[in-house]
C-alpha cells in the first residue's frame, strides 16, 4: 500500500468519525463543492450555522489526525480534492 493511499484511508476514517452535523456540511463543501448558501438550503440551516459547523468540523478533523500522528500537509481541501478528487 502506498503512503499516499494510506494517508487517504486515514483521512477518510477521521472524516467518517466526525459527528453527522459536522461531517455532512464538510463533505458537501469539500467533496461536492457546494457554496455555503447551497449547503444551508440543502440542510435547512442558516448560512452562519453552516460556516460554524464547517469550522468546527475542520478543527475536529485536525485534532483527530494529530492524535493519530498523521496530519497531512496542506489544507484539508487540498487533501480531499473537490468534485470527487479523492475516492475511498
Amino acid at each position: 500500500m502506498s503512503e499516499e493511499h494510506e494517508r487517504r484511508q486515514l483521512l477518510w476514517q477521521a472524516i467518517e468519525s466526525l459527528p453527522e452535523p459536522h461531517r455532512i456540511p464538510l463533505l458537501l463543501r469539500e467533496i461536492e463543492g457546494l457554496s455555503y448558501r447551497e449547503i444551508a438550503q440543502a440542510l435547512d440551516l442558516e448560512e452562519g450555522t453552516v460556516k460554524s459547523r464547517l469550522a468546527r468540523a475542520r478543527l475536529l478533523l485536525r485534532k483527530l489526525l494529530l492524535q493519530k500522528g498523521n496530519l497531512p500537509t496542506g489544507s484539508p481541501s487540498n487533501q480531499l480534492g473537490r468534485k470527487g478528487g479523492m475516492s475511498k
Side-chain angles (χ1 to χ4, degrees):
M1 180 181 313
S2 75
E3 187 176 323
E4 177 69 18
H5 179 74
E6 193 172 324
R7 237 188 340 216
R8 287 176 182 228
Q9 265 192 321
L10 291 169
L11 181 57
W12 273 112
Q13 288 171 359
I15 290 169
E16 289 172 347
S17 72
L18 292 173
E20 187 173 306
H22 297 100
R23 183 179 65 249
I24 301 302
L26 182 72
L27 293 173
L28 290 174
R29 177 74 177 172
E30 301 300 342
I31 301 300
E32 298 299 325
L34 298 183
S35 69
Y36 297 124
R37 179 179 294 176
E38 291 169 324
I39 296 167
Q41 290 172 345
L43 300 178
D44 195 28
L45 299 169
E46 295 294 325
E47 207 169 314
T49 302
V50 169
K51 290 178 182 180
S52 67
R53 287 187 184 181
L54 284 168
R56 181 73 175 143
R58 290 176 180 129
L59 287 173
L60 288 169
L61 187 57
R62 180 176 175 78
K63 182 180 176 183
L64 288 167
L65 293 171
L66 282 171
Q67 285 174 348
K68 295 180 181 202
N70 290 301
L71 183 65
T73 57
S75 72
S77 296
N78 292 340
Q79 293 299 314
L80 293 175
R82 297 206 180 217
K83 292 282 184 181
M86 179 179 170
S87 59
K88 285 188 177 181

